Amino acid sequence: MRDFSISPIHLASDCWRQKRLIYNLSKREVVGRYRGSLVGIFWSFLNPLLMLIVFTFVFGEIFQARWGGTEEAGPLDFAVALFAGLLLFNFFSECLSRAPGLVIGNANYVKKVVFPLETLALVTLVAAFFHLAAGYSILLVLLLFSGWDLSWHALLVPLILAPFALLVLGLTWGLCALGVYLRDIGQLISPVLTAMLFLSPIFYPLESVNERFLWIYQLNPLTFVIEQVRSLLLLNQLPDWAGLMGYTLLSLIMGYAGFAVFQKTRKGFADVL
């Protein structure tokens, strides 16, 4: 039975060779989602815009919520701060919720065709990242009309997103593999993601969390990313460089571990499917 390499160098070279395939599959993934609709791919921009309008109305007008409790901040300011975190969660959730069924849903690639299965997770990541970029393009425009000050610090956001994407990719690879053997994982993901949504500083700043429960938030991989992106976009602060180095190291470990798990278990996919 064929052994699949777990070498990062092999992965990088393989991804480079398959870059055209990854691009075409990612494009099909994005375009196919809106095929048949009137405005097509523009739903990628309309969906986050509509979501932002709903949050602005519900939290800003009905609940009269203000970010950090300051009365000077308007409802749009709260919605922008909330939206900055929610877009990151949606990216995380889209990849992980789809991961357990990726290989199962493409069983024909496993059984009949010599296909680079490791690219399935990459395609999911690229498609989710397209929607994240669409949402953040709207967010940057709305920042200009809010009480927050948009500055050059926004250019540093990719430094935060890069290790975050690597961590998500590793988790996606791992869940792809485990989902083939343990079908219950697909059912477990939804409640876990819901718990992570409310145990992340998305609807409120981290400063408002009781110190007794901070350790729970620190274990959440979303917390650091959300806080750092908000610091760059809204507060015009430089990243926490030490924290970013630690998070990058963790992402490298998780990314490689997920890939290794996928490669070590994939030779049994055909037998299970």
Side-chain angles (χ1 to χ4, degrees):
M1 185 174 289
R2 178 186 173 186
D3 289 326
F4 297 95
S5 173
I6 61 172
S7 167
I9 297 176
H10 171 82
L11 172 63
S13 62
D14 193 49
C15 289
W16 178 255
R17 288 196 305 270
Q18 304 293 342
K19 61 182 182 299
R20 190 69 182 176
L21 174 66
I22 295 172
Y23 170 78
N24 288 332
L25 289 178
S26 301
K27 181 180 178 181
R28 188 182 70 174
E29 179 74 21
V30 172
V31 174
R33 181 176 303 188
Y34 307 108
R35 184 176 290 113
S37 61
L38 291 177
V39 295
I41 200 172
F42 288 102
W43 276 114
S44 298
F45 298 90
L46 290 177
N47 277 331
L49 181 59
L50 292 173
M51 186 166 55
L52 180 61
I53 292 172
V54 170
F55 282 127
T56 303
F57 176 73
V58 172
F59 288 96
E61 299 298 333
I62 297 180
F63 290 108
Q64 296 292 310
R66 297 295 182 268
W67 192 255
T70 57
E71 293 298 327
E72 295 80 8
L76 181 59
D77 300 334
F78 180 90
V80 166
L82 184 153
F83 199 53
L86 194 60
L87 286 172
L88 291 168
F89 173 80
N90 287 344
F91 171 76
F92 184 84
S93 176
E94 182 176 347
C95 292
L96 267 62
S97 61
R98 297 192 58 203
L102 276 180
V103 175
I104 299 172
N106 293 279
N108 56 314
Y109 290 155
V110 179
K111 295 182 176 182
K112 299 179 181 180
V113 183
V114 178
F115 182 84
L117 291 176
E118 66 275 10
T119 60
L120 292 176
L122 283 165
V123 168
T124 301
L125 185 85
V126 172
F129 194 83
F130 173 82
H131 294 108
L132 175 66
Y136 265 94
S137 65
I138 294 173
L139 181 64
L140 291 175
V141 173
L142 291 175
L143 268 171
L144 301 175
F145 300 96
S146 70
W148 303 104
D149 294 324
L150 181 62
S151 75
W152 65 269
H153 293 82
L155 299 175
L156 300 178
V157 168
L159 293 179
I160 309 298
L161 295 183
F164 179 53
L166 180 58
L167 183 142
V168 172
L169 180 59
L171 292 174
T172 304
W173 267 322
L175 290 173
C176 275
L178 294 177
V180 176
Y181 299 98
L182 302 172
R183 303 297 174 93
D184 291 338
I185 288 182
Q187 304 302 321
L188 185 62
I189 286 294
S190 181
V192 169
L193 288 174
T194 301
M196 294 184 72
L197 171 65
F198 290 103
L199 293 176
S200 303
I202 294 177
F203 299 97
Y204 44 83
L206 189 62
E207 292 76 17
S208 65
V209 177
N210 191 302
E211 291 185 1
R212 293 181 300 167
F213 305 114
L214 273 177
W215 65 273
I216 300 176
Y217 287 79
Q218 291 168 350
L219 291 175
N220 189 336
L222 289 165
T223 298
F224 179 81
V225 177
I226 292 172
E227 286 293 293
Q228 291 301 301
V229 167
R230 283 199 183 121
S231 294
L232 291 170
L233 287 179
L234 309 182
L235 304 179
N236 300 327
Q237 297 176 350
L238 290 174
D240 174 3
W241 297 112
L244 182 58
M245 289 179 62
Y247 194 86
T248 301
L249 178 61
L250 173 64
S251 298
L252 288 169
I253 294 172
M254 291 297 296
Y256 178 73
F259 175 66
V261 168
F262 185 87
Q263 292 293 82
K264 287 295 186 181
T265 58
R266 65 184 290 182
K267 56 188 176 183
F269 289 172
D271 298 330
V272 177
L273 296 176

